Amino acid sequence: VEIVNEIGRFPTRNHKRGVFDKVTAVGSTRIRDEFRVAKNSCFNCKIQCKLVTISKKHHSIGEGPEYETVVSLGSGCLNDDLDTLIYANHLCNDLGLDTISCGSSIGFAMECHEHGLIKEDVNWSDADKIVQLVKDIAYRRGLGDLLAEGVMRAAEKIGGGADKFAMHVKGQEISGQDGRAHRSGGLTHATSVRGADHLRGLSVIDEIGYPEIGLRRYGEDKLPAALNRHSEEFKGQMVYDVEYFLSVVDSLILCKYGTMYPLCYYFPDIPDILYSLTGVDLFNDEDNLRRIGKKICLLRRAFNQREGKSRKDDTLPDRFLHEPEEEGPAKGQVVNLDVMLDDYYQLWGFDKDGLILPETLDEFGLEDVKKELYK
Ligand code: SF4
């Protein structure tokens, strides 16, 4: 939380800003020292990333918050009441709500209210209102019923320019990154097949900076451009690489902690692990694993292509493209998405409109998919 705020990429006030002046109030140090009572984990994991926390004010115990929730139910709503943020997180867990979509929908409602598009009082920083809306979204009551539709559909129903405040890609609310302060993050959000998503292609080499790993993966001639989080240069390549690596990671049910944060394991490490576990020769071949990863990504993309998705859908909200960041280290920055999209499409073998070329499908043995897309 604190580090990301330092680089001006801590989404605040419904993604309008990248710096939260109350960051210490919701930061990781406070969560650890004042609210964490235990750690939990998946089977046998020594990292134990899952926090068990207590909200004394609301008499609640449960898991969280993770970084994303501190953004969506915290800085995104200008909420610095950490105890209530934690309670709202527990509620989301118990009620089966995704904290990113839920919190983002509440931040959207706050900005709509500020501009007179929602009459009901939904004011910035109102922690009790956040709790009420989490419950109302879950039980589809009042304004909660509208917000339960997500920001894209809610904005369509509200009208009057509410779409300007609906921070989504392909209908999915945006996670806790901002392409203005972290260009490859913007390209990831725009191209992710299921909508704004930080888990399918987020490059962290240029985020908080891993210069040695950047050098090892991309060579001296690509630095410092690859490490410059405010430059579009070379970000198409970085997102492309991470995307097909993470498709292998997801298929193997490996954790993102160690493959994404921090960058401990990469393609050269996977054959050793996989071959020792399975004895399958095909898995002892890094090139083959890379090919499998790319094929998975192409299949996902092909699904969207069949459903009519193309370059027009690989985009970002206007806020990221045309509203310069107002303060912090990314002040004055906007995302020049087209440059990155062109590079990314070329690497994948798509045409200018983002459609997979027939020869790309042939190259990966996806003739059946080609028949369906090009009948
Ligand atoms: S999510 Fe990953 S880091 Fe966290 S406990 Fe599970 S395996 Fe460990």
Side-chain angles (χ1 to χ4, degrees), residues 40-42 45-50 255-257:
N40 217 342
S41 80
C42 305
C45 175
K46 297 290 175 279
I47 298 177
Q48 301 187 322
C49 74
K50 298 167 194 300
C255 182
K256 296 279 160 57
Y257 292 115

Side-chain angles (χ1 to χ4, degrees), residues 42-216:
C42 305
F43 175 70
N44 224 13
C45 175
K46 297 290 175 279
I47 298 177
Q48 301 187 322
C49 74
K50 298 167 194 300
L51 319 177
V52 180
T53 47
I54 279 190
S55 153
K56 290 191 186 124
K57 213 189 312 180
H58 300 276
H59 309 289
S60 169
I61 184 163
E63 277 189 7
E66 295 183 353
Y67 164 79
E68 290 291 339
T69 309
V70 174
V71 172
S72 59
L73 293 165
S75 58
C77 300
L78 296 186
N79 173 27
D80 66 343
D81 178 344
L82 185 54
D83 190 295
T84 305
L85 188 163
I86 285 171
Y87 175 53
N89 189 157
H90 296 168
L91 276 176
C92 285
N93 296 347
D94 293 345
L95 294 167
L97 296 177
D98 172 59
T99 57
I100 299 177
S101 287
C102 182
S104 302
S105 301
I106 296 170
F108 158 78
M110 288 174 168
E111 194 160 11
C112 284
H113 174 66
E114 182 185 23
H115 289 86
L117 296 167
I118 287 179
K119 295 266 173 298
E120 185 173 328
D121 277 343
V122 198
N123 295 306
W124 295 113
S125 313
D126 186 344
D128 293 334
K129 190 70 182 180
I130 291 172
V131 168
Q132 182 209 316
L133 282 172
V134 168
K135 293 178 186 168
D136 288 348
I137 287 170
Y139 291 102
R140 304 211 63 143
R141 299 184 296 228
L143 178 60
D145 187 34
L146 176 69
L147 299 179
E149 294 288 324
V151 298
M152 183 185 79
R153 290 201 195 97
E156 282 164 12
K157 288 185 181 170
I158 294 167
D163 56 326
K164 212 172 132 194
F165 312 124
M167 302 301 288
H168 73 91
V169 173
K170 302 185 182 84
Q172 176 155 290
E173 290 72 22
I174 292 185
S175 50
Q177 297 77 36
D178 182 334
R180 292 173 298 185
H182 175 198
R183 287 299 192 282
S184 66
L187 182 62
T188 299
H189 282 161
T191 54
S192 178
V193 288
R194 67 174 184 177
D197 185 332
H198 60 295
L199 291 172
R200 299 288 175 267
L202 189 69
S203 165
V204 301
I205 288 181
D206 57 324
E207 185 201 38
I208 32 187
Y210 288 92
E212 285 124 41
I213 295 173
L215 185 65
R216 207 181 314 143

Side-chain angles (χ1 to χ4, degrees), residues 194-263:
R194 67 174 184 177
D197 185 332
H198 60 295
L199 291 172
R200 299 288 175 267
L202 189 69
S203 165
V204 301
I205 288 181
D206 57 324
E207 185 201 38
I208 32 187
Y210 288 92
E212 285 124 41
I213 295 173
L215 185 65
R216 207 181 314 143
R217 284 195 197 172
Y218 298 116
E220 211 162 340
D221 59 320
K222 303 291 188 313
L223 304 185
L227 295 174
N228 183 350
R229 65 178 83 90
H230 298 161
S231 156
E232 280 77 14
E233 202 179 342
F234 205 58
K235 301 308 182 295
Q237 173 86 52
M238 290 165 83
V239 172
Y240 165 77
D241 287 344
V242 177
E243 192 178 341
Y244 75 82
F245 174 58
L246 292 183
S247 71
V248 171
V249 167
D250 285 337
S251 301
L252 296 175
I253 323 179
L254 293 175
C255 182
K256 296 279 160 57
Y257 292 115
T259 52
M260 195 168 101
Y261 280 113
L263 296 163

